[in-house]
């Protein structure tokens, strides 16, 4: 991705499965967890405090900002496709928690 540069990551969805994996980003060399996004303000704020992440938001669109390189989409499955499509259209790298989508047709 950014050979030798810091990769700036937005974690979209701070509850559920991401509670088990989100701290792993803090251990990746040349990666910075730059933004947390969740529709639940309290969940997002608490996750940001726990992880020491300065920026958090309740708006998905903030993850599409130019200073973000990668989106980890950890939202409920029915949001995966529209969020991934928006991120890809914004030129972002995308990671999606499984399953990719609720149906094969939507995944395609």
């Amino acid at each position: 991705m950014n050979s030798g540069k810091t990769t700036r990551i937005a974690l979209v969805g701070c509850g559920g499965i991401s509670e088990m994996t989100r701290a792993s980003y803090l251990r990746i060399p040349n990666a910075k967890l730059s933004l947390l996004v969740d529709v639940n303000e309290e969940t997002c704020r608490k996750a940001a405090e726990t992880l020491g992440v300065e920026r958090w938001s309740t708006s998905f669109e903030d993850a599409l900002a130019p200073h973000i390189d990668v989106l980890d989409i950890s939202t409920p499955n029915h949001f995966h496709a529209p969020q991934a499509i928006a991120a890809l259209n914004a030129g972002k790298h995308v990671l999606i928690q499984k399953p990719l989508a609720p149906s094969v047709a939507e995944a395609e």
Side-chain angles (χ1 to χ4, degrees):
M1 276 187 265
N2 290 339
S3 179
K5 296 182 182 177
T6 299
T7 299
R8 299 155 303 176
I9 302 164
L11 174 61
V12 181
C14 297
I17 193 68
S18 78
E19 288 184 55
M20 297 176 7
T21 61
R22 62 189 182 204
S24 63
Y25 284 113
L26 303 177
R27 297 186 300 270
I28 300 173
N30 298 324
K32 180 180 182 186
L33 196 49
S34 298
L35 175 68
L36 301 183
V37 178
D38 198 285
V39 294
N40 184 310
E41 183 175 338
E42 182 177 352
T43 297
C44 197
R45 181 184 47 77
K46 284 183 178 179
E49 288 173 3
T50 299
L51 298 170
V53 176
E54 294 178 13
R55 298 188 65 224
W56 60 271
S57 175
T58 58
S59 174
F60 170 77
E61 288 72 24
D62 289 342
L64 304 178
H67 68 277
I68 298 296
D69 302 307
V70 176
L71 272 70
D72 175 336
I73 299 175
S74 295
T75 55
N77 304 340
H78 61 281
F79 292 119
H80 288 178
Q83 289 176 335
I85 291 167
L88 292 168
N89 285 337
K92 309 300 181 189
H93 297 277
V94 177
L95 302 169
I96 301 176
Q97 296 299 325
K98 64 181 183 176
L100 178 62
S103 68
V104 172
E106 192 171 351
E108 288 176 344

